[in-house]
């Protein structure tokens, strides 16, 4: 996911590029007194606890000394921040918050709640103006919302202005791999990445390497069993393991895993780039322009429609194909209980040892998939599985995004009093500082810094992580991105997805009817925003409806229906894929 550099041209010197003069000026803004013996003792203990680091221990000590000095005006304040419950955030809440409090004297409370509840708290504060939390770790999927509603602090302005005296001189924003996702159309940085994880393809490398299975697969399909490059190959492999192999070592096996219960998590299953994996939307990174992976078209920065009749692609042939395949595979190739599962219920299933592959798998599960004793882990602790780039559908073209990447990011709201905002910003930076970030990455496996990814510590753990390190070091990672700025109001639009998708899963509506309804409902929300002029010069302005053929005849999305949506499958050997990555090639 990672990266256009537009924001780097816009943000000020030291914060973005390490300009020496500005950094010295920022450093001199803090008091110059040395730490007390007690503070120095705490700092030394923190340094020992936060190993390894890409910084030397002397450099870590200098960062910690800066935090002590910068926090002096806020000592004794009780500051409250919130994030969703992930392993990374548990480390922050249980370890980093405590260390920060001991070091600075700021009483930091880091709450952990469900992702939907984070958005609800955020909305409450945005709508009421009442300070609910002093800072939020909020998915960058809301970047379009923050830009248009004007409630979030533009961090690039804050770091250069009223928050300059509490901005870490060694923050090195240029080192963050996800800042293009948290930058608005105005070139300003609105959120600071705290954790990232991608949605990739997962497969049982040990089964794929078995000579007997390779021979049978090639005899039936005419090509090698390997990492699928497209959905045709994924479907063939799913059919092969479910209906031909059926059983391995006495265990009933399946060629696919998913979930289908009517639940908010069913919405993420689609808004997390499923349509673009099929080929809906336009070329462009981090998101398709003018049509993104939600099927929303923008003219300039104004959302202009989601339906094909307005130039969108939410109900276009590629989107309908993506929903159709999701339903077909769920019913034909996944375990029977999968259709009644939610995201959290389905997540642990591949680790139980009966699934051959999963097309939609979050790398946030890596830590849980590497525990010794699991059926998918060897006796020496190495995984029997691997992760690889997601296969794409027949509508996909080179230059399009290929999958989703979650970027939980620190977000400050204008309704938070300035002094509280400054104190919270100090903690936010502590959690992503070079002093703490590598240790946090090794605990949660959600990397945010290039320096951490390229570190010797990551090289050492790479063999145990099934391809995670190789993926993040590869040029391929730029094609996995979060929801972008085309989506004008994520909290209002996101629920429409699971409500409509569920009706297609149960058969109440056809895939086409479900996507038609979804596109119409999203346009109703955008029409209300247009009437209220929410978003200023980036407020929605819907196109007038036209015949679908008018848009199909134009270049780009929406694309007309293909005569053949299942060309012959293609695969690649995993070792060849790794070699390409090491040589700087995506494939």
């Amino acid at each position: 996911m990672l990266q256009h550099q537009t924001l780097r041209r816009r943000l000020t010197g030291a914060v973005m590029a390490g300009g020496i003069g500005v950094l010295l000026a920022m450093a001199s803004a803090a008091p110059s007194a040395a730490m007390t013996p007690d503070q120095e003792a705490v700092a030394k203990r923190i340094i020992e606890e936060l190993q390894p680091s890409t910084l030397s221990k002397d450099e870590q000590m200098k960062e910690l000394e800066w935090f002590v000095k910068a926090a002096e005006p806020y000592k004794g304040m009780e500051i409250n921040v919130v994030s969703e419950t992930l392993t990374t955030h548990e480390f922050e809440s249980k370890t980093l918050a405590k260390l920060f409090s001991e070091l600075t004297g700021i009483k930091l409370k880091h709450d952990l709640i469900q992702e939907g509840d984070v958005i609800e708290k955020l909305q409450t504060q945005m709508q009421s103006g009442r300070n609910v939390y002093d800072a939020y770790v909020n998915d960058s999927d809301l970047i379009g919302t923050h830009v248009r509603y004007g409630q979030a602090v533009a961090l690039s302005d804050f770091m250069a202005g009223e928050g300059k005296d509490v901005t870490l001189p060694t923050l090195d924003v240029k080192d963050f791999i996800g800042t293009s996702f948290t930058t608005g159309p105005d070139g300003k940085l609105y959120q600071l990445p705290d954790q990232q994880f991608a949605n990739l393809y997962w497969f049982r490398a040990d089964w794929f390497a078995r000579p007997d299975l390779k021979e049978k697969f090639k005899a039936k399909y005419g090509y090698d069993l390997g990492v699928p490059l497209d959905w045709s190959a994924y479907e063939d492999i799913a059919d092969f393991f479910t209906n031909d192999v059926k059983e391995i070592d006495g265990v009933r096996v399946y060629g696919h895993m998913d979930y289908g219960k009517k639940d908010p998590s069913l919405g993420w299953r689609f808004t997390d780039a499923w349509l673009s994996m099929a080929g809906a939307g336009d070329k462009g990174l981090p998101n398709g322009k003018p049509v993104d992976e939600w099927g929303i078209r923008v003219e300039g920065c104004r959302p202009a429609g989601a339906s094909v009749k307005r130039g969108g692609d939410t109900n276009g042939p590629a989107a309908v194909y993506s929903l159709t395949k999701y339903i077909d595979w769920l019913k034909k190739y996944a375990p029977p209980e999968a259709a009644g599962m939610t995201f959290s219920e389905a997540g642990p299933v591949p680790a139980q040892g009966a699934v051959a592959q999963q097309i939609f798998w979050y790398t946030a599960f890596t830590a849980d998939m590497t525990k010794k004793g699991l059926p998918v882990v060897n006796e020496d602790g190495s995984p029997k599985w691997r992760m690889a780039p997601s296969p794409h559908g027949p509508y996909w073209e080179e230059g399009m995004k290929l999958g989703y990447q979650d970027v939980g990011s620190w977000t400050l709201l204008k309704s938070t009093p300035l002094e509280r905002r400054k104190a919270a910003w100090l903690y936010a930076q502590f959690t992503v500082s070079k002093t703490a970030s590598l240790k946090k990455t090794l605990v949660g496996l959600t990397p945010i810094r290039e320096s951490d990814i390229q570190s010797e510590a990551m090289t050492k753990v790479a063999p145990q992580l099934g391809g995670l390190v190789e993926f993040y070091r590869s040029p391929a990672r730029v094609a996995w991105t979060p929801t972008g700025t085309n989506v004008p109001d994520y909290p209002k639009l996101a629920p429409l997805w699971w409500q409509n998708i569920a009706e297609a899963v149960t058969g109440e509506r056809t895939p086409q009817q479900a996507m038609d309804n979804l596109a119409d409902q999203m346009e109703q929300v955008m029409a209300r925003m247009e009437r209220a002029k929410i978003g200023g010069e980036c407020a929605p302005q819907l196109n007038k409806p036209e015949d679908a053929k008018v848009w199909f005849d134009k270049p780009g999305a929406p694309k007309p229906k293909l005569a053949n949506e299942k060309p012959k499958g293609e695969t690649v050997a995993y070792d060849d894929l790794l070699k390409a990555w090491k040589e700087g090639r995506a494939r």
Side-chain angles (χ1 to χ4, degrees):
M1 301 179 24
L2 315 161
Q3 340 217 182
H4 297 296
Q5 313 303 318
T6 53
L7 82 99
R8 298 180 190 172
R9 296 194 300 269
R10 300 294 297 271
L11 300 187
T12 55
V15 174
M16 294 310 298
I20 298 300
V22 179
L23 286 183
L24 290 173
M26 291 172 66
S28 64
S32 57
M35 289 188 286
T36 66
D38 286 346
Q39 290 170 330
E40 189 171 344
V42 171
K44 287 180 179 179
R45 181 162 52 81
I46 290 174
I47 289 170
E48 292 305 315
E49 191 158 349
L50 298 182
Q51 293 301 317
S53 168
T54 57
L55 299 183
S56 68
K57 290 186 177 181
D58 285 344
E59 289 170 330
Q60 285 181 294
M61 181 61 78
K62 288 177 183 177
E63 274 202 341
L64 296 178
E65 184 175 357
W66 180 89
F67 277 108
V68 169
K69 294 173 182 177
E72 283 177 0
Y74 316 103
K75 198 170 183 178
M77 290 181 67
E78 295 182 2
I79 297 299
N80 303 299
V81 304
V82 68
S83 67
E84 64 176 303
T85 305
L86 290 176
T87 301
T88 295
H89 299 316
E90 289 176 350
F91 178 70
E92 291 168 342
S93 177
K94 296 175 182 177
T95 300
L96 295 183
K98 181 181 178 182
L99 296 177
F100 177 81
S101 297
E102 291 179 14
L103 180 71
T104 64
I106 296 172
K107 300 173 183 177
L108 200 292
K109 186 171 184 285
H110 186 148
D111 286 344
L112 301 176
I113 59 179
Q114 294 302 307
E115 181 183 4
D117 295 329
V118 174
I119 294 177
E120 182 182 340
K121 300 290 186 185
L122 186 76
Q123 276 187 295
T124 298
Q125 182 161 340
M126 289 172 63
Q127 293 168 0
S128 69
R130 178 174 58 87
N131 191 50
V132 180
Y133 280 100
D134 300 308
Y136 297 80
V137 180
N138 167 227
D139 279 3
S140 71
D141 293 341
L142 275 79
I143 181 65
T145 307
H146 293 319
V147 167
R148 289 177 177 87
Y149 278 82
Q151 299 290 321
V153 174
L155 294 180
S156 47
D157 293 343
F158 181 74
M159 290 187 287
E162 59 188 5
K164 184 176 180 180
D165 60 329
V166 289
T167 294
L168 180 63
T170 52
L171 183 59
D172 191 10
V173 179
K174 189 177 180 180
D175 190 41
F176 287 75
I177 62 175
T179 48
S180 67
F181 313 140
T182 58
T183 301
D186 55 4
K188 294 182 179 181
L189 185 74
Y190 284 84
Q191 300 170 283
L192 185 68
D194 177 81
Q195 52 83 4
Q196 292 183 215
F197 57 89
N199 189 299
L200 300 176
Y201 169 76
W202 179 95
F203 71 106
R204 285 292 297 270
D206 57 336
W207 292 353
F208 278 48
R210 283 179 49 162
D212 58 331
L213 298 183
K214 291 170 72 173
E215 183 180 342
K216 290 178 182 178
F217 184 86
K218 189 163 187 177
K220 180 173 182 178
Y221 296 102
Y223 60 94
D224 292 330
L225 176 61
V227 176
L229 296 177
D230 51 46
W231 285 16
S232 295
Y234 183 84
E235 184 173 283
D236 289 345
I237 295 169
D239 182 45
F240 176 69
F241 277 98
T242 301
N243 297 318
D244 293 322
V245 178
K246 293 184 181 178
E247 189 175 294
I248 294 179
D249 299 330
V251 176
R252 175 69 169 105
V253 299
Y254 296 89
H256 174 63
M257 183 59 203
D258 219 319
Y259 61 96
K261 186 174 182 179
K262 187 175 183 179
D263 175 83
S265 64
L266 188 59
W268 315 333
R269 177 63 183 78
F270 283 79
T271 59
D272 285 3
W274 184 245
L275 273 63
S276 67
M277 290 169 64
D282 278 307
K283 296 179 182 180
L285 296 172
N287 304 91
K289 289 292 176 73
V291 182
D292 73 351
E293 69 272 20
W294 284 42
I296 296 175
R297 171 177 287 272
V298 294
E299 304 291 351
C301 65
R302 291 182 178 273
S307 63
V308 171
K309 65 187 177 185
R310 299 185 196 271
D313 206 10
T314 305
N315 62 337
V320 174
Y321 164 83
S322 76
L323 176 54
T324 302
K325 283 299 172 187
Y326 158 78
I327 295 171
D328 286 350
W329 295 345
L330 177 66
K331 294 182 176 180
K332 291 180 180 178
Y333 309 126
E337 61 271 21
M341 288 182 166
T342 64
F343 166 79
S344 58
E345 293 166 342
V349 172
Q352 296 167 10
V355 175
Q357 61 170 359
Q358 187 167 349
I359 194 172
F360 199 82
W361 181 82
Y362 291 93
T363 61
F365 292 130
T366 303
D368 290 336
M369 295 283 281
T370 56
K371 294 177 180 177
K372 288 189 177 182
L374 287 175
V376 295
V377 176
N378 292 308
E379 289 186 6
D380 64 359
S382 61
K384 297 178 181 179
W385 53 268
R386 296 292 185 272
M387 62 183 81
S390 317
H392 57 74
Y395 292 89
W396 187 87
E397 301 174 82
E398 288 288 346
M400 295 179 67
K401 70 179 288 182
L402 190 49
Y404 176 79
Q405 187 156 186
D406 185 284
V407 185
S409 305
W410 285 105
T411 308
L412 305 178
L413 296 183
K414 294 176 181 177
S415 52
T416 299
L418 179 59
E419 295 306 294
R420 300 190 66 81
R421 196 190 312 158
K422 283 185 169 185
W425 176 237
L426 285 171
Y427 171 68
Q429 293 173 100
F430 181 74
T431 66
V432 300
S433 67
K434 289 183 180 179
T435 288
S437 64
L438 179 54
K439 177 62 178 287
K440 186 176 80 169
T441 294
L442 291 170
V443 171
L445 302 178
T446 55
I448 55 171
R449 286 186 176 273
E450 186 69 31
S451 57
D452 291 339
I453 293 166
Q454 300 299 338
S455 69
E456 180 61 26
M458 292 300 284
T459 299
K460 288 180 180 178
V461 299
Q464 308 298 316
L465 301 181
L468 179 73
V469 176
E470 290 84 352
F471 170 76
Y472 272 103
R473 287 179 173 177
S474 81
R477 74 182 187 192
V478 301
W480 279 257
T481 71
T483 298
T485 57
N486 285 29
V487 180
D489 191 328
Y490 187 97
K492 286 189 176 66
L493 294 173
L496 303 178
W497 284 75
W498 66 269
Q499 294 162 10
N500 283 286
I501 297 299
E503 293 185 343
V505 174
T506 60
E508 296 171 64
R509 293 178 185 267
T510 66
Q512 183 70 64
Q513 290 170 338
M515 299 309 278
D516 286 344
N517 203 43
L518 171 61
D520 287 344
Q521 289 179 7
M522 289 205 296
E523 288 178 347
Q524 291 170 23
V525 172
M526 288 188 275
R528 290 194 293 271
M529 292 182 68
E530 180 178 0
R531 289 192 296 271
K533 296 185 171 66
I534 294 174
E537 61 183 26
C538 290
Q541 188 172 24
L542 296 179
N543 288 332
K544 293 181 180 179
E546 295 187 86
D547 187 271
K549 189 175 184 305
V550 173
W551 291 102
F552 288 148
D553 288 344
K554 294 181 180 181
K559 303 162 190 171
K561 184 176 175 63
L562 292 172
N564 178 18
E565 292 182 328
K566 195 179 187 300
K568 184 176 180 180
E570 290 185 69
T571 58
V572 63
Y574 187 70
D575 289 344
D576 291 343
L577 187 63
L578 289 183
K579 182 180 178 183
W581 285 354
K582 291 175 181 177
E583 293 174 354
R585 294 180 285 115
R587 300 214 171 199

